[in-house]
Amino acid sequence: MATLTYWVCESLNDASCYSIRAKTRKEAVRMRDSYGDRSWEWSEAEKVTVKYSDGFDLLTQCLEEGGGCWE
């Protein structure tokens, strides 16, 4: 089993596609804090870990109904 780990700051006032995702917590926080427009709100950075067997399994997890529900 392989593991994908990333950090997310969830969008609190819009769709999840506007959430911030980054490889490190430091980068996610920097990206969140760099936005000058305060009409956007994000949660604190949270660690997300996804286990998958191969690239096809990861793709399937992303595309199936409810895909990406690990966030």
Side-chain angles (χ1 to χ4, degrees):
M1 273 278 169
T3 303
L4 169 67
T5 301
Y6 64 96
W7 292 81
V8 62
C9 297
E10 291 187 50
S11 173
L12 300 177
N13 57 343
D14 212 331
S16 65
C17 64
Y18 295 106
S19 294
I20 295 169
R21 293 169 184 84
K23 288 182 180 182
T24 65
R25 180 185 182 284
K26 185 176 182 177
E27 181 66 10
V29 170
R30 187 201 62 74
M31 290 170 65
R32 182 193 65 201
D33 294 346
S34 72
Y35 286 97
D37 184 358
R38 291 293 126 204
S39 64
W40 288 89
E41 295 180 32
W42 292 276
S43 68
E44 293 297 316
E46 295 180 31
K47 187 177 185 178
V48 178
T49 302
V50 182
K51 294 185 186 289
Y52 61 96
S53 57
D54 56 31
F56 187 74
D57 179 43
L58 179 60
L59 179 65
T60 301
Q61 288 186 47
C62 291
L63 296 177
E64 65 188 5
E65 187 171 347
C69 62
W70 49 81
E71 287 184 3

